[in-house]
Amino acid sequence: MKIKFLGTGTSQGIPVIGCKCLVCKSNKKEDKRLRSSVIISVLNKKILIDTGPDLRQQSLKNNINKIDYVLYTHAHRDHVSGIDELRSFNFIQKKEIKAFGNKELVNQLKKDFSYIFSDFKYPGLPNIELTSIEKTFYIENVKIIPIRVKHHKLNILGYRINNLTYITDAKTINDNELKKIDGSEILVINCLQVKEHLSHLNLNEMLKLVSKINVNKVYLTHISHNLGLHHKVNKKLPKKIKLAYDNLELNL
Ligand SMILES: [Zn+2]
Ligand SMILES: [Zn+2]
Ligand SMILES: [Zn+2]
């Protein structure tokens, strides 16, 4: 199994339009972050998590020419607004793409992108079969465990796929859901910035949460320019925790 980070930035990405801070002005590739998304290769299948606004350039940059399934975390724009780009994969694959999310996500997507999900289909629209899931399910022979997390007041999902757990935009995770992450080889989790934030884990909250779970390695995503320079922040983190960066690929 492989995971590739297509984007590791928060909603505005890095650099932020018009910002002159050290991080936004950095020339290092690790300090440039598109909106958060990953693609997972398992048993010859490609599973994309979220379709953010950068999906087109992420697909071109990483030579992605196949997407079998999409797992959605939640319906905020930085995670869904590239949904139309799935058309390109429909055209190549000549069939629908199956997508999954919780009922909040399914209802919101059907409202916000009604043209995609209406009975009358204009020719050339994305062809997506959207299913609401709450409990463990299988795609092909791959077991997918949804992890319920809170994004301020919104119920959103993370996912465990074999030994990999991917969680973004969490603010809190209850002990029951934390148990589902236990034993993962790799945990990907959001870490926005140093200062506290209403709806996202900050650095200290992430550290506290990670200390409660038994995982080998932790990679941070959904990062804002306020977290600091990639290389500087990485040096200060405990050994098993690292910042992810765009185009990083990990084997499991
Ligand atoms: Zn987000
Ligand atoms: Zn900045
Ligand atoms: Zn969000």
Side-chain angles (χ1 to χ4, degrees):
M1 189 161 102
K2 262 191 221 167
I3 174 173
K4 186 154 203 187
F5 291 86
L6 305 180
T8 56
T10 185
S11 55
Q12 287 184 291
I14 303 177
V16 172
I17 293 172
C19 185
K20 306 239 179 324
C21 81
L22 263 180
V23 179
C24 289
K25 284 200 307 187
S26 164
N27 288 323
K28 292 231 159 58
K29 70 172 178 14
E30 291 85 353
D31 286 312
K32 302 196 185 306
R33 301 182 192 275
L34 297 176
R35 269 60 69 91
S36 292
S37 176
V38 292
I39 190 157
I40 294 159
S41 312
V42 57
L43 296 179
N44 256 332
K45 297 291 168 192
K46 302 277 183 195
I47 303 172
L48 179 72
I49 303 190
D50 290 336
T51 57
D54 300 317
L55 182 56
R56 179 176 175 275
Q57 51 168 317
Q58 288 165 334
S59 301
L60 291 171
K61 202 191 237 172
N62 293 284
N63 269 320
I64 298 169
N65 46 35
K66 180 171 131 100
I67 292 173
D68 297 295
Y69 302 96
V70 178
L71 301 178
Y72 278 111
T73 59
H74 65 303
H76 282 162
R77 284 301 175 275
D78 53 324
H79 299 264
V80 303
S81 68
I83 191 167
D84 265 62
E85 310 303 344
L86 293 178
R87 286 174 351 123
S88 304
F89 300 94
N90 289 139
F91 297 156
I92 298 169
Q93 294 158 201
K94 298 189 172 51
K95 61 172 189 176
E96 80 288 342
I97 292 173
K98 292 187 168 63
F100 302 89
N102 63 10
K103 60 177 186 308
E104 286 90 341
L105 171 286
V106 168
N107 292 340
Q108 196 68 46
L109 275 195
K110 285 186 173 171
K111 221 187 277 175
D112 296 346
F113 300 94
S114 56
Y115 61 95
I116 297 179
F117 300 102
S118 74
D119 290 336
F120 169 73
K121 294 253 190 305
Y122 192 85
L125 284 178
N127 184 359
I128 300 162
E129 190 189 297
L130 186 59
T131 307
S132 144
I133 42 95
E134 298 293 328
K135 292 184 185 147
T136 298
F137 64 107
Y138 288 82
I139 46 182
E140 313 283 334
N141 284 322
V142 185
K143 187 179 181 183
I144 316 278
I145 305 173
I147 318 272
R148 283 188 285 255
V149 312
K150 283 270 183 198
H151 182 24
H152 184 44
K153 287 178 181 165
L154 190 66
N155 295 313
I156 73 168
L157 292 181
Y159 293 96
R160 178 166 182 173
I161 305 166
N162 297 334
N163 286 334
L164 168 74
T165 301
Y166 181 90
I167 288 168
T168 187
D169 291 55
K171 173 67 177 178
T172 54
I173 308 178
N174 74 33
D175 289 347
N176 237 352
E177 298 302 305
L178 281 183
K179 275 187 211 147
K180 298 179 183 170
I181 307 171
D182 242 354
S184 298
E185 194 181 320
I186 292 175
L187 166 64
V188 179
I189 192 156
N190 57 296
C191 178
L192 187 75
Q193 59 188 28
V194 178
K195 272 215 261 176
E196 214 176 298
H197 189 272
L198 177 74
S199 56
H200 295 270
L201 290 164
N202 71 350
L203 186 64
N204 278 335
E205 290 164 334
M206 177 280 297
L207 289 169
K208 206 172 151 196
L209 194 126
V210 165
S211 74
K212 293 199 229 169
I213 328 166
N214 166 33
V215 288
N216 263 355
K217 283 218 162 96
V218 179
Y219 288 87
L220 306 181
T221 191
H222 210 280
I223 293 163
S224 126
H225 61 160
N226 295 321
L227 187 62
L229 289 163
H230 181 93
H231 293 285
K232 280 199 173 167
V233 177
N234 246 349
K235 273 186 206 148
K236 288 189 210 151
L237 291 170
K239 220 174 153 194
K240 74 169 180 184
I241 306 178
K242 285 194 165 65
L243 300 189
Y245 53 88
D246 289 18
N247 310 317
L248 168 67
E249 190 171 41
L250 304 167
N251 288 299
L252 289 106

